[in-house]
Amino acid sequence: MYSDQEESAVLDDYRLEMENRIRNLVWTVSGDYSLEVKPDVETFLRSRNIALYDGIKQGGLAKYFDRDALSMYLLKKIYCDAFRGPLMTVAQLCIEEAVGHKLDAEREGVRNIRRKACEDILELDFKELAATPLGHFKAALLREELDGSYEGTRKIQGWMEEIHRLREARDTMDVIRAVDSLYNQIVEPNFEKNKKTLDQVLAVTVEELAEFSWKDFLREDLEELREDTMETYLEKISEAMTSLDMNESRDQEEDKKQEGQKKKKILVVDEKALAQMYSYVEKNFGKSYLSPAEQKNLNYQFCRGIHGDCSLYCTEGILQNPVLRNYQYEYARKQKDKNIMAYYDQSRVVKRNIQVLTDMLRKALLLRSENQEILSDRGRIIPAALWKVGRSEDARLFKKEIKNDAMNFVVDVLIDASGSQRSRQGQVALQAFIISEALSNLDIPFRVTSFCTFWDYTILQKFRDYDDSRKKNGRIFEYMTSSNNRDGLAVKAVGSTLLQREEENKVLIILSDGKPYDVVVNRPNSRNPEPYRGRPAILDTGFEVRRLRQSGAAVLGVFVGEETELAAERKIFGKDFAYIRTIKNFSNVVGRYLLKQIEE
């Protein structure tokens, strides 16, 4: 007989042995011995076959697909109010279909382990599987694996046909699309209608995830909660998404907690969080180039009315002035590399656009710069007109030369950098770069700024200023999307400094998706304004555009969003907006508008 202390030591040794065995199994299958693995020994104690097969599948997932991208999608789906338990079950089944048969072809013996794991799950979890439609679907897949065929309801057969297509999956997005589709069909049929589409789920940014309190979703048995609770939760998802041993009943308590969170469409930030906001913004968007007094004055000047509880934050970006090299810094660096790669992939098209736009503007400016002669009462005398002296009241006996200042132009480029632009980051950066290079070729002063809204801060990131050298144009590839967008406030702030320029001709070009949207924060102890979205936001942005035009600036909206938002774009910009379908035609569309401004 063992004493309690000896029994505990034996059990610890056994657990350690099982952990090493599962870890080595994952590394062998994946071929990546640096892969971070957290073996599930509890499942091994429950069923050796299930634990071994889950370990094999972890290695297969890491080998064939992007495990991090898949777990990040699941985190975003949960953030968008999907139920964790059912979502994880759907993900586990899809991963099984995408990985299992590929492993069969490569490793003898995997199929036998999988069959034994399926038998154990049917035996251990039969009651839970019979309780829900998703359980029926899972049981059908398990029986099909064991018996070779299954005849069920028409719905289940349709789901099975869809999931079987994953056996040919070659890309992580194939798995993500299948998980999203099956979850929406089986668990929440109205998810896209009432919540978000897949594109909107994927557009959720790291900052939006960081705003959310993941502590409420973590298990109560965790003794300590690290500060980076989002990363903790992401790890939990990564660990769980390959385990066939997971079932809905074990996650009911977490889903009840999550149901409570669904009421929080607008996040409430307490006073302590408000005090930390500035520091958080500084760490994730870079230090501000304004002094505290200048920022206070800026907010006093522009944050009024519908923007009364908002703040402006001016920065050159996290890559230029980082507080520390955190996750956001690395993300920004990688996105810059992606934008540069987009340039190299389309370098011929981009260079052609730059040349076409430069030539169009140069010809117009040359015509504008030609001197004109007019009749005047002073200047160079016209001998043929001297007969008028004493005979006519027309005193215009002279010719006066008027010199046109063709370069009396200044341009501002304002770029929407909200999360809804995420899928178009590279293309939007290229469009801004084309404009910048063409204006640099003609020595026209211009500034490039992006905007997004995080909590109550509207972030204005300056890539280059009016009189900066051409070298600064490359900073435009640091363009990165995040969070929401309060278009009216950004147009108001940028337009005000544009109007202060001495140049006679002022042009503002706005690259946006035509959808102002900011509903993140409802601040305590304040006036709690209505969320900035829909008709009020469109009217506010349109008002700021018209106010600039009435003050003498020309404003062009370059639409880079979805066709469904075209109506909103028209309401904001009227007739002066361009819909850019492909970058190939970008220079012609924008060039024609700028020519119109030059010729007037």
Side-chain angles (χ1 to χ4, degrees):
M1 294 286 292
Y2 290 113
S3 67
D4 290 344
Q5 187 174 2
E6 289 172 332
E7 186 175 347
S8 177
V10 170
L11 186 59
D12 287 343
D13 289 341
Y14 180 72
R15 286 175 179 271
L16 183 60
E17 180 184 347
M18 292 305 101
E19 283 185 8
N20 288 334
R21 185 173 179 182
I22 295 171
R23 188 178 288 109
N24 288 330
L25 187 61
V26 174
W27 286 340
T28 300
V29 173
S30 67
D32 181 2
Y33 289 86
S34 65
L35 190 66
E36 189 172 328
V37 181
K38 292 189 176 181
D40 186 358
V41 178
E42 296 303 321
T43 298
F44 194 95
L45 295 174
R46 185 168 183 257
S47 168
R48 174 180 180 276
N49 294 316
I50 295 175
L52 288 177
Y53 183 58
D54 287 346
I56 292 171
K57 200 160 52 174
Q58 277 193 59
L61 177 63
K63 180 176 182 179
Y64 301 122
F65 300 102
D66 187 337
R67 187 177 67 168
D68 293 339
L70 183 55
S71 57
M72 181 58 79
Y73 153 74
L74 295 173
L75 183 69
K76 292 178 178 181
K77 186 80 170 179
I78 293 168
Y79 170 83
C80 295
D81 291 339
F83 288 106
R84 179 187 184 277
L87 178 64
M88 295 306 298
T89 299
V90 173
Q92 293 147 15
L93 297 177
C94 288
I95 291 169
E96 159 65 18
E97 286 295 309
V99 172
H101 291 270
K102 291 182 175 65
L103 291 171
D104 280 353
E106 290 190 7
R107 293 187 174 274
E108 188 176 350
V110 169
R111 180 173 175 77
N112 186 48
I113 296 175
R114 182 166 71 249
R115 286 178 61 84
K116 290 180 179 179
C118 292
E119 289 174 352
D120 287 355
I121 293 168
L122 280 172
E123 180 180 347
L124 294 169
D125 296 334
F126 181 77
K127 184 178 179 180
E128 289 85 354
L129 293 174
T132 64
L134 181 55
H136 295 167
F137 178 47
K138 181 174 180 178
L141 289 169
L142 294 171
R143 285 199 293 271
E144 182 187 45
E145 177 63 33
L146 296 173
D147 303 334
S149 62
Y150 171 77
E151 293 184 3
T153 65
R154 184 175 298 177
K155 274 189 176 180
I156 290 180
Q157 288 179 353
W159 297 339
M160 291 179 74
E161 289 176 6
E162 182 170 348
I163 201 170
H164 286 338
R165 287 195 284 271
L166 284 174
R167 295 176 183 178
E168 306 300 323
R170 292 291 181 269
D171 186 85
T172 307
M173 274 307 300
D174 294 337
V175 182
I176 290 173
R177 291 188 192 98
V179 173
D180 201 75
S181 174
L182 288 169
Y183 176 88
N184 292 351
Q185 292 179 61
I186 302 171
V187 184
E188 292 190 78
N190 293 321
F191 190 91
E192 287 199 354
K193 180 180 178 182
N194 298 334
K195 297 175 183 177
K196 291 183 182 295
T197 64
L198 175 58
D199 286 342
Q200 290 172 324
V201 170
L202 295 175
V204 172
T205 64
V206 174
E207 293 78 15
E208 290 171 301
L209 294 174
E211 293 170 23
F212 197 79
S213 175
W214 295 99
K215 292 182 180 181
D216 293 331
F217 288 93
L218 294 170
R219 291 182 181 175
E220 294 178 358
D221 59 356
L222 283 175
E223 295 181 0
E224 295 182 1
L225 292 176
R226 302 191 331 237
E227 289 184 4
D228 54 338
T229 50
M230 186 191 80
E231 285 76 9
T232 305
Y233 197 76
L234 189 60
E235 287 178 8
K236 286 164 61 65
I237 288 176
S238 185
E239 293 165 19
M241 66 185 180
T242 55
S243 176
L244 280 176
D245 192 37
M246 298 289 290
N247 62 62
E248 295 172 75
S249 63
R250 294 175 198 165
D251 289 310
Q252 285 179 351
E253 290 303 314
E254 286 193 67
D255 286 336
K256 286 179 182 178
K257 293 177 184 178
Q258 188 174 341
E259 181 66 30
Q261 293 288 342
K262 289 184 178 184
K263 299 176 183 178
K264 299 181 182 179
K265 293 295 183 181
I266 300 174
L267 304 182
V268 178
V269 182
D270 60 27
E271 290 300 326
K272 183 178 179 181
L274 287 172
Q276 296 173 343
M277 268 191 204
Y278 188 88
S279 175
Y280 191 90
V281 169
E282 195 175 45
K283 289 177 182 177
N284 287 275
F285 293 94
K287 297 177 183 177
S288 174
Y289 55 79
L290 297 180
S291 67
E294 289 172 325
Q295 290 186 90
K296 185 177 180 180
N297 181 61
L298 195 69
N299 292 330
Y300 178 79
Q301 184 178 358
F302 298 113
C303 297
R304 298 171 176 269
I306 196 172
H307 309 296
D309 289 322
C310 300
S311 305
L312 286 163
Y313 186 84
C314 299
T315 177
E316 292 186 341
I318 191 170
L319 295 181
Q320 296 299 322
N321 293 302
V323 175
L324 50 85
R325 297 199 171 192
N326 54 7
Y327 178 89
Q328 185 66 8
Y329 179 90
E330 293 302 323
Y331 176 76
R333 185 177 58 78
K334 290 178 181 178
Q335 185 57 48
K336 178 184 178 181
D337 292 341
K338 289 181 181 179
N339 292 340
I340 292 173
M341 286 306 300
Y343 167 77
Y344 286 125
D345 288 342
Q346 304 179 66
S347 60
R348 290 187 179 180
V349 175
V350 172
K351 290 177 180 178
R352 177 61 181 164
N353 270 268
I354 293 170
Q355 191 59 52
V356 169
L357 184 56
T358 300
D359 291 343
M360 289 176 69
L361 298 181
R362 179 179 285 120
K363 289 177 182 177
L365 290 170
L366 285 174
L367 290 174
R368 183 184 174 91
S369 66
E370 291 180 355
N371 295 340
Q372 297 179 347
E373 287 187 339
I374 62 171
L375 295 176
S376 177
D377 58 359
R378 62 181 61 83
R380 180 165 50 85
I381 194 167
I382 307 173
L386 293 178
W387 64 271
K388 295 181 181 181
V389 177
R391 295 184 177 89
S392 173
E393 294 181 357
D394 186 359
R396 294 179 298 171
L397 308 176
F398 304 86
K399 280 186 177 181
K400 182 179 180 181
E401 187 176 65
I402 298 178
K403 294 183 178 181
N404 290 324
D405 187 358
M407 295 303 177
N408 195 20
F409 275 84
V410 62
V411 178
D412 248 300
V413 181
L414 183 61
I415 315 172
D416 177 0
S418 62
S420 60
Q421 296 282 61
R422 184 185 179 196
S423 62
R424 297 180 286 270
Q425 287 178 101
Q427 293 301 300
V428 174
L430 291 181
Q431 291 174 3
F433 184 71
I434 289 169
I435 295 174
S436 300
E437 286 292 288
L439 294 175
S440 291
N441 288 340
L442 300 169
D443 295 321
I444 294 176
F446 68 98
R447 178 177 60 176
V448 182
T449 310
S450 72
F451 70 95
C452 67
T453 300
F454 177 75
W455 281 345
D456 69 339
Y457 282 92
T458 289
I459 315 295
L460 297 177
Q461 180 175 344
K462 182 172 65 177
F463 299 102
R464 60 152 292 151
D465 212 340
Y466 296 110
D467 300 314
D468 284 340
S469 67
R470 181 192 291 268
K471 292 180 181 179
K472 292 286 186 74
N473 292 353
R475 284 193 185 177
I476 291 167
F477 292 117
E478 294 174 13
Y479 169 73
M480 179 181 66
T481 60
S482 170
S483 303
N484 298 319
N485 52 310
R486 189 169 280 263
D487 297 44
L489 180 56
V491 172
K492 185 178 182 181
V494 170
S496 176
T497 52
L498 174 64
L499 292 176
Q500 294 173 19
R501 294 285 297 187
E502 295 179 354
E503 288 83 358
E504 180 183 353
N505 303 285
K506 303 173 179 66
V507 180
L508 173 61
I509 301 174
I510 305 174
L511 307 181
S512 76
D513 62 1
K515 189 177 181 180
Y517 187 86
D518 178 27
V519 295
V520 175
V521 168
N522 192 6
R523 294 174 58 184
N525 303 322
S526 70
R527 289 173 291 179
N528 293 333
E530 288 295 317
Y532 190 77
R533 63 183 174 190
R535 189 169 183 271
I538 291 172
L539 290 177
D540 175 66
T541 308
F543 171 78
E544 294 300 336
V545 168
R546 289 190 296 275
R547 187 181 64 83
L548 278 176
R549 286 173 176 163
Q550 291 168 0
S551 299
V555 183
L556 169 67
V558 178
F559 183 65
V560 289
E562 303 295 335
E563 285 193 46
T564 53
E565 306 301 335
L566 274 172
E569 186 83 353
R570 289 191 180 96
K571 290 178 181 177
I572 293 172
F573 294 102
K575 63 179 181 179
D576 286 334
F577 85 94
Y579 181 22
I580 308 296
R581 289 177 174 82
T582 65
I583 198 169
K584 292 181 180 179
N585 198 38
F586 179 78
S587 60
N588 288 319
V589 174
V590 175
R592 283 196 295 270
Y593 176 80
L594 292 176
L595 285 178
K596 178 182 174 184
Q597 304 308 312
I598 293 172
E599 292 168 357
E600 286 183 353

